[in-house]
Amino acid sequence: MICDNEVKAPNVNGDNSISLLINNELMIDTCSSTSKLISNSKALGISIKPKLLVITTPVNHHWGGIDAINGVSTVAIPVDNTMHGFELRSKLYELGLDALEVDGRERIKLTLGPVELIRVGNKRVGELFIYFPNYRLLVSGCGLNLWLINDDEITKFFGELGVRYFVGGLGATSISEYQGALLRDIIRNLGGVYPLHGTGPRLRRELVSNYRNAHDAGTGSVLRFR
């Protein structure tokens, strides 16, 4: 974990953003700025050379460090028809990077196994979830329950995918206590939950304190799944 609001390693800085590097092959988001991405990467001894970069949402604190990314062959972004989407596409064009715009679902094969990109949202605004079927791992860059907003949607989504582990933003209590309650029902049955940027700060503290399967993670954390 290169960037997150919380800090879990020495000599790194917290950031109101997220960036995850997986097997140095897949990168999810790029911190809020080039300086944060570079300084945290150096402090963690990480050389960033991903084949695939996924920007989960075009809001710029999710891709502010994109200038520091070299050698990436594919950049996946959600279809998004807002000013944020236009800004991100313009930046990718400036850098000479072609965007794979996902509208629905897209499966990509990597050395670590297949990766499924799932767009959620509406016709205008979109966000990508990343699912690793071999590990039954779901990653959300920002707020899971910004899009899955009732019992049936959340339960069906997790059940159809067979999600066992969750990493990333859960959203909630910023919207309502009801949303937080829905997420707790899902979380209770998972093998492991790692709430990051995009999770309401109070919900994050509550989960880590009250659920044995919820773990405190942040910038500098290393997670291993089998």
Side-chain angles (χ1 to χ4, degrees):
M1 297 181 182
I2 301 174
C3 282
D4 180 56
N5 299 65
E6 300 291 330
V7 172
K8 302 300 176 185
N11 304 317
V12 294
N13 296 303
D15 191 21
N16 184 30
S17 70
I18 191 170
S19 184
L20 310 176
L21 185 64
I22 302 174
N23 287 22
N24 209 18
E25 186 178 20
L26 165 62
M27 190 167 194
I28 299 173
D29 292 339
T30 64
C31 304
S32 67
S33 68
T34 299
S35 60
K36 282 286 178 67
L37 180 58
I38 291 175
S39 63
N40 281 359
S41 297
K42 286 183 177 179
L44 295 169
I46 295 172
S47 176
I48 303 173
K49 295 181 179 179
K51 294 179 181 177
L52 171 64
L53 170 62
V54 177
I55 303 298
T56 60
T57 175
V59 179
N60 60 12
H61 67 262
H62 282 261
W63 57 268
I66 199 169
D67 287 294
I69 306 299
N70 296 309
V72 65
S73 57
T74 303
V75 181
I77 65 175
V79 169
D80 185 280
N81 297 309
T82 66
M83 61 177 290
H84 299 296
F86 176 78
E87 184 183 6
L88 175 55
R89 290 190 295 271
S90 296
K91 183 63 176 181
L92 294 175
Y93 178 79
E94 174 190 321
L95 295 173
L97 297 170
D98 292 327
L100 169 63
E101 296 194 53
V102 179
D103 186 6
R105 297 194 178 193
E106 187 84 29
R107 181 168 282 214
I108 298 175
K109 290 183 179 179
L110 297 175
T111 303
L112 59 86
V115 176
E116 188 169 359
L117 307 178
I118 305 168
R119 183 188 181 276
V120 293
N122 53 46
K123 290 182 178 180
R124 185 168 180 267
V125 183
E127 182 174 340
L128 290 181
F129 294 159
I130 302 96
Y131 186 60
F132 303 83
N134 288 4
Y135 302 91
R136 299 172 66 186
L137 165 65
L138 180 68
V139 177
S140 166
C142 199
L144 176 75
N145 79 312
L146 296 176
W147 310 109
L148 305 175
I149 59 175
N150 62 52
D151 304 63
D152 291 340
E153 286 181 340
I154 293 174
T155 303
K156 182 179 179 181
F157 186 81
F158 273 70
E160 286 181 347
L161 288 176
V163 177
R164 183 65 178 157
Y165 302 100
F166 179 87
V167 173
L170 287 162
T173 54
S174 59
I175 295 179
S176 72
E177 288 299 322
Y178 173 67
Q179 291 296 321
L182 291 181
L183 291 168
R184 291 184 186 91
D185 288 341
I186 294 296
I187 287 165
R188 187 177 290 112
N189 297 315
L190 297 181
V193 178
Y194 303 82
L196 301 176
H197 166 80
T199 304
R202 191 174 76 182
L203 177 63
R204 189 169 179 165
R205 291 192 298 269
E206 288 176 357
L207 293 176
V208 172
S209 297
N210 300 327
Y211 288 79
R212 296 176 65 182
N213 62 340
H215 306 285
D216 195 14
T219 304
S221 294
V222 178
L223 306 184
R224 294 180 173 88
F225 297 93
R226 295 182 179 180

